Amino acid sequence: MVMFNEKTTLNPDSRTDTEPFKRLRRLRMTESFRAMVRETELSRNDFIYPLFVVPGKKVRNEIKSMPDVFQLSIDELVKECAEVKSLGIPAVILFGIPEYKDEVGSSAYDDDGIIQMAIRAIKKEVPELVVITDVCLCEYTSTGHCGIVRGNEIINDESIELLAKEALTHAQSGADLIAPSDMFDGRIKAIRNILDRNNFQNIPIMSYAAKYASGFYGPFRDAAESTPKFGDRRSHQMDPANSDEALREVEQDIIEGADIVMVKPALPYLDIVRRVKDRFAMPTAAYNVSGEYSMIKAAGRNGWIDEQRVMMETLTSIKRAGADLILTYFAKDAAKLLPTR
Ligand SMILES: [Zn+2]
């Protein structure tokens, strides 16, 4: 055992008289020093920009609770994607508002569904942009639930078969990455299997692995028109109080074949992002959700905070917590502020 010798390093009396304490401020004195020792830097490559697609032409509906975010028809969506690409943002994730809804969410796996057509249009006009598709049924079911409902129960195993079918149609339409957001058990395995059986073994899956039943989704439900008609999502999304359970959820998705794991929402769950990153060392995404966005926008518009500064601080905090990828409605605004390299 090495014995600590009091007379050496840590005895305050042995320190030099000129430095009775450590001057941590030295490296904060100039912007050059601050830049040299900065631990976390945002990059455009960190961002995934969420987009909402609606039927029609020349549609650009601003979402009331989400300033500067729009529901877009496919023609407008393609223009938006070109802009996103020109800003250096590598990827978008698509959410669809379909022509029709029914109990089994048929419009989610219709070859001519809104998302399927949107993917084909983007891939034709902006082929290098990575197109990620959200896979769930809540935007497509008449109940507004993420799966098939019988009585008061959302039926797990039948629902995941439909989700797999939906994922396959996205891949067949040209999607680059599939992102199931439902939180049912076994969906990653079901989707991986159907993709592999149909020669899409190289299409990766980003799972919404630890998705919480959160009040921060409120504005999104206006945007995606996916509010449940009755009940809530607490039988499949996670209890905000739980953290160990998030690790079990993430582990299961990795075992089933997820390539990227996501924590959603981001800000109230930064501790979960850190635990997931430390435990699994997987490519990790965090969804900076609608409520997080709208709070900053609203306070910014009221002059209560400096919107740009708070936005950059927020995004930096998500990356610092361990996220490699950030899904955020701020992607375009933030990209405009980042230096071009
Ligand atoms: Zn859903």
Side-chain angles (χ1 to χ4, degrees), residues 59-75:
V59 181
R60 250 188 114 76
N61 290 336
E62 189 171 29
I63 296 147
K64 259 198 209 112
S65 51
M66 300 177 73
D68 303 328
V69 176
F70 298 82
Q71 293 177 328
L72 302 167
S73 53
I74 291 177
D75 51 332

Side-chain angles (χ1 to χ4, degrees), residues 44 81-89:
R44 292 176 173 78
C81 284
E83 191 198 345
V84 168
K85 180 73 197 154
S86 75
L87 286 168
I89 298 162

Side-chain angles (χ1 to χ4, degrees), residues 136-138 146 181-182 211 233:
C136 198
L137 293 176
C138 46
C146 306
S181 63
D182 51 282
K211 181 178 180 180
R233 308 210 205 281

Side-chain angles (χ1 to χ4, degrees), residues 117-283:
M117 292 193 297
I119 300 164
R120 293 194 289 266
I122 298 169
K123 279 293 157 191
K124 191 164 160 233
E125 302 296 331
V126 199
E128 331 78 63
L129 186 69
V130 173
V131 175
I132 305 171
T133 55
D134 178 85
V135 169
C136 198
L137 293 176
C138 46
E139 291 128 51
Y140 307 93
T141 51
S142 44
T143 59
H145 278 293
C146 306
I148 301 204
V149 180
R150 216 162 282 136
N152 279 330
E153 193 183 333
I154 305 169
I155 310 292
N156 193 87
D157 299 13
E158 285 171 50
S159 298
I160 63 175
E161 279 178 35
L162 298 181
L163 293 166
K165 217 160 126 182
E166 179 183 3
L168 179 61
T169 62
H170 292 178
Q172 286 166 335
S173 303
D176 298 295
L177 174 57
I178 302 293
S181 63
D182 51 282
M183 286 296 283
F184 297 145
D185 295 323
R187 78 271 165 74
I188 302 301
K189 186 176 177 194
I191 291 172
R192 188 68 270 161
N193 283 345
I194 203 170
L195 292 177
D196 290 354
R197 280 203 309 274
N198 288 277
N199 280 328
F200 292 111
Q201 54 271 46
N202 288 331
I203 302 237
I205 296 174
M206 173 167 72
S207 76
Y208 288 64
K211 181 178 180 180
Y212 286 86
S214 169
F216 285 84
Y217 303 147
F220 175 93
R221 292 186 185 161
D222 290 344
E225 300 176 9
S226 62
T227 309
K229 297 278 181 293
F230 55 89
D232 55 38
R233 308 210 205 281
R234 284 173 226 237
S235 78
H236 51 292
Q237 297 178 352
M238 282 185 52
D239 182 339
N242 292 357
S243 169
D244 291 343
E245 186 189 1
L247 300 184
R248 295 198 292 276
E249 281 284 359
V250 170
E251 182 176 38
Q252 189 55 40
D253 283 3
I254 295 169
I255 291 169
E256 290 180 25
D259 302 280
I260 302 171
V261 289
M262 189 203 297
V263 175
K264 181 182 181 183
L267 280 188
Y269 301 93
L270 291 181
D271 58 324
I272 311 296
V273 175
R274 172 48 63 195
R275 285 192 79 187
V276 166
K277 187 65 183 173
D278 285 349
R279 170 75 77 93
F280 300 106
M282 286 282 287

